[in-house]
Amino acid sequence: MLVQCYDVHLSFPDKRVLDGVSLAVHRGERIALVGENGAGKTCLFRILLGRLSPDAGKVSIATGVRIGYLDQTLIDVGGEAEARACLDVALEPFMELQALERGIEQIHAGLATCGPDEMAPLMDALGEAQRQFESGGGYDYRSRAEATLSGLGLPADVWGRPVGTLSAGQKVRLALVRLLLGEHDLLLLDEPTNHLDLPARDWLEERLAKMAVAYVVASHDRRFLDGVASKVAHLDRGNLRVYTGNYSAFRAQIAHELDTAWRLYDKRQRLVRKLQEQARVYRTWGLAKEREKRGSYDKGYIGHRAAKLMKKSLIARRRLEATIERMQTEKPRGRDPVAIAFHGTAGYRLFSVRDLSVGYDAPLARGITVTLAGGERLAVLGGNGCGKTTLLRTLLGELPPLAGEVRLTPSARVGYFDQEIRQIPDDQTALEAVMATGRDETLVRTVMGRMRIRRETVHKAVGLLSAGERAKVLLVRLILGEHNLLVLDEPTNFLDIDTQDALLEALADFPGGIIFTSHDRHFIKTLATGALELG
């Protein structure tokens, strides 16, 4: 066993996060950690790492276990690394091999200038250094690093760039490269597929499937989880339960359990109603006998047989009531579905672009000609760095076009989902951020509740929310806006799968036009009516 937590409890002033959670990870295990936004997945990761202390419970890590961690928000390549080249940072897991490489070069230099007496010890040192270099994979570590960088969408023209010039998504991928190249016994991966395009997700899925290292991965990409997990740990309302099989098998088991629970609940309710009717009969009969008894007392006489029957009736009724109380159970703990309905309007032609080039100093994409009308859903596709987000920001007027023209219809009312969620100040509460739309507070609270934004979360500062909770707050703002054009940049990043499904249904019913980017294959296939591929 690599790591284990037992009966772990964790609470914050506004909510209970973990309530007696236990989880053990053994060598070679492949576990998917799932749960809705704010369920406590990241907290559990930090407890396993020792970065967060639980209120109660025990965490044990086997001696010498090396744990690698990918944080979904904190990208650990900062500090001095900001000025270093991307490739140099990716090669950090091979520092010992690089030191051996430099030592071998120094020995070769020494052999070129040494005398006969110094030759033998230098040759012995060279042989030992070369043996260690070869056994450690010294002859292929650079090619492994380069293949991993390319596989995760960091091509050769990025390798020489300083880390500080990379985008947030590129830094996440670089952090993932370092983890995959390092010598670890256990990987804890918190949303590793965010910011990865479809080829990179496929590459990562295949790479994890071939690795011998154990891992626990939190992700909201159902197809990715199907490919990498053999167990699913479900975190729900502070409780954790482990299921065998991939994500699809887990969903089938959950549905079967809920169906069975409802059948048992209905059966018990029918029996309870039958017992309640029997108890009512006994009670009615007992009251009648009580009245007879009082009449007999008035006459100065009560029969012995009647008294015994009354006692038996009372005992039987009390036993029935006790049985009924034991059989009264709570309803099965199914969840109310996430409810999303956009307050949007239709539109005819919303925007058009002609022979457009987008980028910064040099074009990332050029020759784009497209129009969008109400009811159309245009997916912008392409690999990382091809200009998808740049195109959306150019359509919004945040960036000037390098060439060509963008025409936004005067009647277009645009709602924008920024994948980095920069529209909401960190110091605003979730409620304040949504109230800025000018909507009535009752309506705002109702919609936030339907999005499963917890009551205690409403008054939290946005900067203290999880990435998924912040995404939900931004979605609520879009839901309450009177838009006829939605510009969505990776809207499913960080959203739990139930919310993704509800968002997909709501967008399908949206009367206006939608232009969006996504790396979620299911989302694209279900929503898009057309595609614009950049390459």
Side-chain angles (χ1 to χ4, degrees):
M1 184 174 62
L2 300 174
V3 63
Q4 180 182 32
C5 63
Y6 177 73
D7 196 26
V8 166
H9 296 256
L10 179 68
S11 295
F12 295 127
D14 56 345
K15 69 175 178 178
R16 183 173 58 187
V17 181
L18 304 177
D19 186 14
V21 164
S22 297
L23 178 67
V25 185
H26 298 84
R27 292 191 181 277
E29 281 196 317
R30 301 170 177 184
I31 301 174
L33 179 62
V34 302
E36 70 169 5
N37 297 127
K41 300 186 294 294
T42 299
C43 289
L44 182 58
F45 275 149
R46 291 176 179 172
I47 287 173
L48 293 175
L49 288 164
R51 298 182 183 180
L52 181 62
S53 298
D55 302 328
K58 182 180 179 181
V59 180
S60 57
I61 302 174
T63 304
V65 169
R66 297 160 297 182
I67 301 177
Y69 176 49
L70 179 71
D71 191 316
Q72 64 168 295
T73 54
L74 301 177
I75 305 154
D76 188 21
V77 291
E80 296 179 359
E82 292 287 310
R84 298 175 59 196
C86 175
L87 180 59
D88 291 340
V89 172
L91 290 171
E92 281 184 359
F94 305 112
M95 292 178 65
E96 292 183 4
L97 287 174
Q98 289 178 305
L100 278 172
E101 196 170 34
R102 290 191 295 270
I104 290 171
E105 291 174 357
Q106 291 173 358
I107 293 173
H108 278 296
L111 286 171
T113 58
C114 72
D117 296 338
E118 300 171 318
M119 181 74 69
L122 283 176
M123 288 298 295
D124 290 341
L126 178 62
E128 177 61 21
Q130 287 178 331
R131 184 190 66 77
Q132 294 181 20
F133 187 70
E134 183 176 0
S135 64
Y139 292 110
D140 66 352
Y141 79 88
R142 286 184 179 273
S143 61
R144 285 167 54 201
E146 292 171 357
T148 305
L149 285 165
S150 298
L152 287 174
L154 293 171
D157 58 357
V158 176
W159 299 348
R161 289 172 51 186
V163 172
T165 66
L166 302 181
S167 69
Q170 289 172 323
K171 288 181 180 179
V172 170
R173 295 197 292 278
L174 179 57
L176 188 54
V177 167
R178 293 201 308 177
L179 279 181
L180 294 176
L181 293 174
E183 295 291 333
H184 299 103
D185 302 297
L186 172 63
L187 294 178
L188 304 179
L189 306 175
D190 198 358
E191 300 289 356
T193 57
N194 285 346
H195 305 290
L196 295 186
D197 57 23
L198 299 183
R201 290 189 185 204
D202 290 339
W203 184 93
L204 178 61
E205 181 181 321
E206 183 179 349
R207 176 65 176 268
L208 288 176
K210 292 179 179 178
M211 294 178 68
V213 64
Y215 54 77
V216 182
V217 54
S219 175
H220 298 308
D221 185 329
R222 69 197 82 197
R223 180 172 164 180
F224 177 77
L225 291 180
D226 272 344
V228 302
S230 58
K231 286 185 177 180
V232 174
H234 182 212
L235 191 56
D236 180 40
R237 299 181 179 96
N239 301 304
L240 185 103
R241 185 174 175 188
V242 179
Y243 296 79
T244 300
N246 62 12
Y247 183 78
S248 292
F250 153 73
R251 290 296 288 256
Q253 290 177 71
I254 286 286
H256 176 72
E257 286 179 359
L258 189 58
D259 182 63
T260 302
W262 273 110
R263 289 174 184 270
L264 180 59
Y265 176 78
D266 291 339
K267 184 177 180 180
R268 280 177 174 263
Q269 289 302 104
R270 289 194 297 270
L271 183 55
V272 164
R273 287 193 292 269
K274 183 177 179 180
L275 294 175
Q276 285 172 337
E277 178 61 23
Q278 288 181 330
R280 187 189 64 79
V281 170
Y282 277 125
R283 186 171 182 274
T284 302
W285 187 87
L287 289 174
K289 290 299 179 183
E290 181 69 22
R291 286 193 291 270
E292 289 180 18
K293 175 182 173 181
R294 291 196 184 112
S296 298
Y297 273 132
D298 292 341
K299 298 172 184 177
Y301 169 80
I302 180 172
H304 176 69
R305 185 169 179 275
K308 285 183 68 175
L309 287 173
M310 285 176 57
K311 184 176 180 179
K312 285 183 179 180
S313 172
L314 179 61
I315 292 172
R317 179 164 61 86
R318 286 176 176 172
R319 285 177 177 171
L320 275 175
E321 289 172 347
T323 302
I324 291 169
E325 186 175 351
R326 287 195 304 271
M327 293 186 67
Q328 292 283 13
T329 57
E330 293 183 2
K331 288 184 179 181
R333 300 182 70 184
R335 285 193 173 275
D336 294 331
V338 180
I340 302 177
F342 285 91
H343 293 229
T345 58
Y348 178 56
R349 177 170 289 188
L350 298 168
F351 74 77
S352 63
V353 300
R354 183 179 298 276
D355 200 23
L356 181 67
S357 295
V358 299
Y360 297 90
D361 296 330
L364 292 171
R366 58 174 62 132
I368 303 168
T369 299
V370 67
T371 61
L372 187 78
E376 294 181 337
R377 292 95 170 81
L378 181 66
V380 182
L381 307 178
N384 291 124
C386 71
K388 299 187 299 295
T389 297
T390 305
L391 170 61
L392 298 189
R393 294 184 64 195
T394 303
L395 292 176
L396 293 167
E398 294 183 3
L399 295 174
L402 298 183
E405 61 177 0
V406 177
R407 289 186 179 179
L408 199 64
T409 304
S411 62
R413 295 183 296 278
V414 183
Y416 177 42
F417 185 97
D418 173 15
Q419 64 171 299
E420 297 180 13
I421 316 177
R422 294 170 297 185
Q423 299 112 302
I424 307 176
D426 285 349
D427 57 350
Q428 276 191 340
T429 68
L431 182 61
E432 290 170 345
V434 181
M435 288 289 292
T437 60
R439 292 288 186 169
D440 174 76
E441 182 173 347
T442 302
L443 176 61
V444 167
R445 287 181 176 272
T446 299
V447 176
M448 294 179 83
R450 289 175 179 168
M451 286 285 288
R452 291 189 193 159
I453 298 175
R454 293 182 176 88
R455 193 175 305 165
E456 62 270 13
T457 303
V458 168
H459 296 292
K460 262 189 176 181
V462 170
L464 300 177
L465 302 181
S466 70
E469 289 170 327
R470 291 199 303 273
K472 285 186 175 181
V473 171
L474 181 51
L475 278 175
V476 172
R477 285 174 39 133
L478 291 182
I479 289 169
L480 293 173
E482 292 288 345
H483 306 299
N484 57 16
L485 172 60
L486 295 179
V487 180
L488 309 176
D489 194 4
E490 297 286 354
T492 59
N493 272 2
F494 306 112
L495 291 180
D496 58 69
I497 291 175
D498 286 345
T499 306
Q500 289 182 29
D501 290 341
L503 175 62
L504 195 53
E505 289 184 20
L507 291 175
D509 293 335
F510 181 67
I514 303 171
I515 180 170
F516 69 98
T517 70
S518 178
H519 296 308
D520 186 317
R521 290 157 282 205
H522 174 73
F523 190 83
I524 295 169
K525 182 178 179 181
T526 307
L527 182 63
T529 61
L532 173 67
E533 186 161 4
L534 306 183

